[in-house]
Each structure stands twice: as C-alpha cells, then as structure tokens.
Amino acid sequence: MSEIITNGAGTAPIGYTVGEDLVDRAAPDGPIETRWTRRKFAAKLVNPANRRKHRIIVVGTGLAGASAGATLGEQGYKVIQFCYQDSPRRAHSIAAQGGINAAKNYRNDGDSVRRLFYDTIKGGDFRARESNVHRLAEVSVQIIDQCVAQGVPFAREYSGLLDTRSFGGVQVQRTFYARGQTGQQLLLGAYQALSRQIDAGNVEMHPRTEMLDLIVIDGRARGIIARDLVTGKVSTYMADAVVLATGGYGNVFYLSTNAKNSNASAIWRACKRGAYMANPCYTQIHPTCIPRSGDHQSKLTLMSESLRNDGRIWVPKKAGDTRPPDQIPEHERDYYLERIYPSFGNLVPRDIASRAAKNVCDEGRGVGPGGLGVYLDFADAIRRMGEDKVREKYGNLFEMYERITGENPYKVPMRIYPAIHYTMGGLWVDYDLQSTVPGLFVIGEANFSDHGANRLGASALMQGLADGYFVLPPVIGNYLAQAKLVPADVDSPEAREAYDRSTERLERLLAVNGDRTPDSFHRELGQLLWDYCGMARNEAGLRKALARIPELREEFWQRVKVPGTGAELNQSLEKANRISDFLEFAELLCLDALHRAESCGGHFREESQTPDGEALRDDENFAYAAAWEFTGVGSPPVLHREQLKFEEVHLAQRSYA
C-alpha cells in the first residue's frame, strides 16, 4: 500500500509498504504448559567464571530494569546501568498504586494459571501471543514469593495470610497489594537488591544520564551513546548486549498519568537503528483519573483501579442535571456499568469502562466542570464496612484525592474521567525478549509482547518483574553463549558515527533559536493526538492528524527555542530532544491506527463497532501483530505482520455482561 495526500505544505507521504511476515523463531511448540520449562532447558548456559567477562548495558531502573540489573549482577555479569532520575528508586514504577496479579488462588475462588492466562488473552481482546501470556501467568506465582522474601510489606489478613482484591476484567481476587503504594514498595524491594549489586561492584550505576542512541556493529547491538544531564557530557558505552527497560510512550499525548520525564527516545532511537516498532496504536485509556482542571495542567493524576472494588460509578439519568450528588435521589442515578455489564459491574476492563464513561458524558450526563466526569461513590461501602475500614484499605488514596481537589471523598463522591495511561505497543520482541536487532533485549512496558490491545489492571507490575527477575536472565545467557562476540571498541566507525549523530542533533536543536518553547509544540501535538487518535479514532480524523504532524515537525525545527548550551544542566534541551522524537513517532502511531481498520481493546475505530457500541474485531484480516520497520523520517515505513495463532483459546466477541 502507498498513497499520497495533499496538505497545506504540499504533499506528504502517509502510506506504507508491506514486507515479509515475521515469525517468532524463538517460541517453542508443543504443550503450552511446558513451553517455558522446555525453552529454559534448551537455552545455552554461560558458566559463572565466563559471566564475569561479559558486559551488559541496562537502560532504565523501574521494576523491569531494577530487577534485571539486580539479577544479572547477582549472576556475575558486569552490568552498566542508566537512569535519567537522580536515583534508581525514583523510576515511574513508584506511581503504580493498586496491586500486582498472581495466580496463587489464596482465596480458593477458582483462580489458576490457566484462568489468569485466559483472562489476559480475553482482556487484550485476543491480540496477544498465547505462549508469552501463559509464561507470564506461570511466573506470576514466583514473583510473590520473591517479593515477600525481599520484605515487601504486602497487606495481610487478620490470620497473617496475604490479602488480595479484585481488578478489572476478572471475577476472582488475585491482586496482591500494599495499600495504595504497591509500585513503590515493589520498587524498593528491587532497588535494595540492585543496591547490593552496586555495592558489590557488579553494577556500575549512572543516574541523571539519558540514552541518546544505539550502537549497532555487524548487525548486533553493542552499546549506547548517553548524555550526563548534569554536566552535558556525551559519552560512549560498549557492551556485549543492551537491555532497554525504559517504559512506554504515553507522554506523546502530553497530558497523561505518566511522570513528566517519561519518554520514548530510547525505543524510538533503537527503532531508527533497525528494531521494529509493534502495535503503537494500542494505547490504554485508564478510566479512573482525576479530571483535568484547566489548560495550565502539564500532567494528570491517576486514582487506583482498586477503588472500583468498593466504589460505585454513576451519573445522573437526566442530561444537564447539575444538582450536587447528595441531592440526586437513588432512583434518578444511573449506575451504568452495573446496568450494562451485570456480571462484572464496576470491574469491567479499562477500555470498556473508559468508553462507557465517554459515552455518558457525550450524552450530556457528565458531572463537574465541563461535564467531563463521572462519580466514584463510596457511600454504600462506608455504610457497609464503616469509615474506619474504608480508611484502612484506601486512606492514602483518599488523602491524595483531597489534596488535589480540595474535596473530601468520605463526604462527597470522587469525580473521575479517562486519561492516557499505559501503552501496550512497543518494540517487537521474540519469545526470548530479543528485538529484530540481535543483542538488543527489551523488557517491561518498552516491548509489545504480553498484553494485546488492552492491559488488565495490576498486570504491568507483574510483567515488569517477570521479565527482569525470571525471563531475561536465562534467555540473555543463551544469546551470549552463542554470539561469538569480538571486543567492541569505542573508537570503531559505528560508535563514532553514533556519537557524531547524537551530538549533531543536540547542536542543531540549540542552533534553531526560534520563538516557541518545546512545551508549546508538545502541548499542540498532544491535543492533536487526543482529538484524533484518543479514546475513539476514525479515518477522517486520523488523516487530519497525519497531514498536520509533518507540518508541526517542520515548524518545530524552524521555530523551537532552546536557551543555554549543551555543556551544562539544560532541561529545555532535554525536553526538546525528547519532543523531537515524539514528533517522529506520532506519525507512526497514527498510521498504525489508520491501517488497522478494526476495533480491538484500547484501539477503537468508530467505523468498526457492534450495534451495542462495543469494539468489533476483524479476525480474518487483522489477527496479527503489526511490526513497523523505519525507513527514514517522512518516508513510508515497511509493515511486517506476525500472524497470531490461537490454539488454546477460542476467538470470540468479548462479553462482560
């Protein structure tokens, strides 16, 4: 496919060409229950004495990166690790509140590895690999034991057993939690394990340092270019393998629940060096976010999905009803999730809850300023359990809400509205977590592998720790045992070229000296994506976005204003560098959404929906992962399809009624 559209700047190519299909050659066959066990046994090993000879770069220190660095260091590898924060413990994983899934079945309520596997495949709207998802479900059981051994303070019942609660898209209680601080507590566990390896000299830690480019020598990932964000010094680091654990790209939308510095630069620069980008249109809208309060905001705040265990979601039945919630009687309230989806109620998956909230607000029944909000009401829970019990379970979340809004959620319902949160797309990886560039491994949210078109709540922490603690170590050892690498030199032509390319880009940004701030471009791009590639997408809107993005990108390079120099702490330069990547990546995101003429999970094409307004898949034409090969900025990318096989789960229209 290839086509040309005309816009105000002339002609802009937005088409793509179709390349060879991708095959995951690392994935084992045979019974799904034994595939991971057999893959580990077949993996080649690196003996302990030889591990000391290998250098591995790990970029990122969230749950995936910290657990990977700690485990690889413990095994004896020489790890060189990077994060742009001032400390590894400040990675965005600390913001995860509600919990982590595991198929322990402590509640004896019918849970199992098989059920977690099925719930994840169904929750992702049948757009994930069966082998990867089953491995994730298997490993989930080990994660809890690992974290308990590290001292993670999971909530416990009166008897001393670990407590669990429910999250969206399931009918069992498999989510382990530490009040509303689960991500923080899990990260502290991984961080202390990482710190032990730093102290032992097995991990060389570089905080306040950002990856600028990937070095590829003889077709293999052999190092990175990184910039010290305090001094501005750009340096070259070489290794035998590179691991990216840099999170998702949700901040391309400007307003999201991500930390402000979360970005896509590492995976996008890797994409430009040959790693394929898979399913970028799969972006998750979280239904439980504090509504935006005005144009001054630079980010949004998430309220944990765990609140939907006991909070009830409703809006007035009558459009335009602006009465305070306590003045709206019960018979004039619409508990719309409980009405439409009685089997799951308020705990339907995130994509479904988000679209339902949008629909009632579009009908004029939204609450709060601008009508962009729905109520999350705890009145029934307080009557049933008592305020003390609610405070025990959710107190820190209620406190956070009150600090931000000035409203007491024990007295009045919370107001929530959907917002950009997680990204299911990312760099394509095989079963061994290796990208299309040999030696480049991608873990956690930075890859595309485990969630399909929608992630179930409490599964992000599960995937990050599964990849870092249990999956990456054996498969990266298998690569190193067979790669037959020669020492990589910082003075090699490829390393020098990557260094020059990185420094020239920074110098170019500084030289523009225009009249617009980096943030102004980011805000405009984010609004464009939210309007045309947000909770709902259609062909006309996506074409508008694809016409405007190249214009905005050209304007950026003509008008951006970056004060200061590169040889110092310069946060404007940091922002501009990341936004320049967003302006390139956004075009691929919209193209992927345009090409996928179906609805599935978080990707909702208005032209493809059931009579009831639910996502309507096209399994005949789109039951594949779309992996995009970069061919140059503004040039049509190449689409490689990885056909998805469903042998264990029957393809069916999702139903949560």
Side-chain angles (χ1 to χ4, degrees), residues 426-556:
L427 291 183
W428 185 91
V429 294
D430 62 15
Y431 189 73
D432 286 355
L433 302 179
Q434 188 169 204
S435 75
T436 47
V437 177
L440 177 65
F441 294 81
V442 190
I443 60 178
E445 191 182 357
N447 75 34
F448 89 109
S449 64
D450 289 3
H451 304 296
N454 173 68
R455 177 176 67 79
L456 291 181
S459 286
L461 306 185
M462 177 174 61
Q463 185 206 353
L465 293 180
D467 285 356
Y469 282 136
F470 300 108
V471 181
L472 178 69
V475 296
I476 201 170
N478 176 70
Y479 168 77
L480 294 171
Q482 301 180 81
K484 298 180 181 178
L485 301 169
V486 298
D489 189 351
V490 295
D491 292 322
S492 66
E494 296 88 347
R496 288 200 303 269
E497 180 188 2
Y499 179 91
D500 292 342
R501 187 170 52 234
S502 299
T503 54
E504 286 168 6
R505 188 180 183 96
L506 297 175
E507 291 166 0
R508 184 183 172 197
L509 287 166
L510 290 163
V512 175
N513 197 29
D515 60 354
R516 285 189 62 178
T517 65
D519 274 341
S520 71
F521 285 100
H522 193 184
R523 187 185 294 272
E524 184 174 346
L525 175 66
Q527 190 64 54
L528 184 74
L529 293 177
W530 180 251
D531 289 343
Y532 298 121
C533 197
M535 266 194 282
R537 301 103 185 254
N538 59 55
E539 181 178 352
L542 289 167
R543 289 184 179 277
K544 286 181 182 179
L546 284 165
R548 176 57 182 149
I549 290 169
E551 297 175 337
L552 187 61
R553 186 170 61 236
E554 183 178 353
E555 185 179 345
F556 173 86

Side-chain angles (χ1 to χ4, degrees), residues 560-580:
V560 70
K561 173 73 172 180
V562 182
T565 71
E568 60 182 349
L569 174 66
N570 189 338
Q571 291 184 304
S572 290
L573 181 59
E574 290 176 41
K575 288 181 183 179
N577 195 35
R578 297 164 185 165
I579 294 163
S580 70

Side-chain angles (χ1 to χ4, degrees), residues 178-490:
R179 296 192 75 194
Q181 306 169 349
T182 311
Q184 180 181 10
Q185 298 302 327
L186 291 172
L187 184 60
L188 288 173
Y191 173 61
Q192 68 183 6
L194 178 62
S195 296
R196 179 173 179 269
Q197 296 308 312
I198 294 171
D199 183 65
N202 296 327
V203 176
E204 177 186 307
M205 190 67 226
H206 294 267
R208 298 295 285 134
T209 306
E210 185 163 38
M211 173 178 160
L212 299 180
D213 212 339
L214 178 72
I215 300 170
V216 179
I217 301 176
D218 296 331
R220 297 179 182 272
R222 296 305 304 272
I224 67 169
I225 306 297
R227 178 175 182 266
D228 185 311
L229 297 178
V230 176
T231 67
K233 182 180 179 182
V234 178
S235 302
T236 304
Y237 299 89
M238 309 303 292
D240 299 316
V242 176
V243 179
L244 298 186
T246 53
Y249 48 84
N251 267 353
V252 69
F253 288 84
Y254 188 71
L255 284 179
S256 82
T257 65
N258 292 273
K260 277 298 291 177
N261 285 334
S262 295
N263 63 83
S265 285
I267 59 172
W268 182 243
R269 302 290 172 92
C271 183
K272 295 172 79 169
R273 302 284 82 79
Y276 295 174
M277 183 69 70
N279 300 336
C281 75
Y282 290 166
T283 53
Q284 182 167 80
I285 314 293
H286 198 297
T288 320
C289 181
I290 298 177
R292 62 183 296 182
S293 58
D295 292 339
H296 64 280
Q297 274 187 274
S298 60
K299 77 175 300 294
L300 297 171
T301 302
L302 178 69
M303 298 308 297
S304 170
E305 183 173 320
S306 64
L307 294 170
R308 292 198 274 146
N309 271 269
D310 292 301
R312 300 181 68 192
I313 296 172
W314 64 275
V315 292
K317 289 183 177 179
K318 180 181 176 182
D321 190 338
T322 60
R323 289 177 292 173
D326 61 347
Q327 295 181 18
I328 301 177
E330 195 73 14
H331 67 276
E332 295 183 33
R333 301 179 179 186
D334 181 12
Y335 295 91
Y336 57 91
L337 292 178
E338 299 172 29
R339 171 175 55 83
I340 302 171
Y341 310 102
S343 295
F344 286 75
N346 298 298
L347 286 170
V348 292
R350 291 174 174 180
D351 60 315
I352 290 175
S354 295
R355 283 195 294 274
K358 179 181 185 298
N359 290 341
V360 296
C361 290
D362 288 348
E363 294 168 3
R365 297 194 288 142
V367 302
L372 293 179
V374 299
Y375 288 129
L376 178 60
D377 196 338
F378 281 84
D380 283 354
I382 291 172
R383 281 193 293 268
R384 184 179 73 254
M385 300 188 295
E387 185 174 318
D388 288 345
K389 188 64 175 179
V390 172
R391 193 180 300 275
E392 179 184 328
K393 293 179 69 174
Y394 307 113
N396 59 320
L397 297 171
F398 278 43
E399 180 183 353
M400 181 171 70
Y401 180 87
E402 185 171 6
R403 286 186 178 185
I404 292 171
T405 65
E407 299 174 358
N408 182 352
Y410 294 102
K411 304 299 181 184
V412 297
M414 292 183 180
R415 287 178 295 108
I416 57 172
Y417 192 70
I420 291 289
H421 179 52
Y422 188 89
T423 54
M424 286 72 67
L427 291 183
W428 185 91
V429 294
D430 62 15
Y431 189 73
D432 286 355
L433 302 179
Q434 188 169 204
S435 75
T436 47
V437 177
L440 177 65
F441 294 81
V442 190
I443 60 178
E445 191 182 357
N447 75 34
F448 89 109
S449 64
D450 289 3
H451 304 296
N454 173 68
R455 177 176 67 79
L456 291 181
S459 286
L461 306 185
M462 177 174 61
Q463 185 206 353
L465 293 180
D467 285 356
Y469 282 136
F470 300 108
V471 181
L472 178 69
V475 296
I476 201 170
N478 176 70
Y479 168 77
L480 294 171
Q482 301 180 81
K484 298 180 181 178
L485 301 169
V486 298
D489 189 351
V490 295

Side-chain angles (χ1 to χ4, degrees), residues 20-28 39 129 428 430-432:
E20 295 182 357
D21 277 4
L22 268 176
V23 178
D24 181 6
R25 303 191 187 283
R39 178 69 192 102
R129 291 180 182 147
W428 185 91
D430 62 15
Y431 189 73
D432 286 355

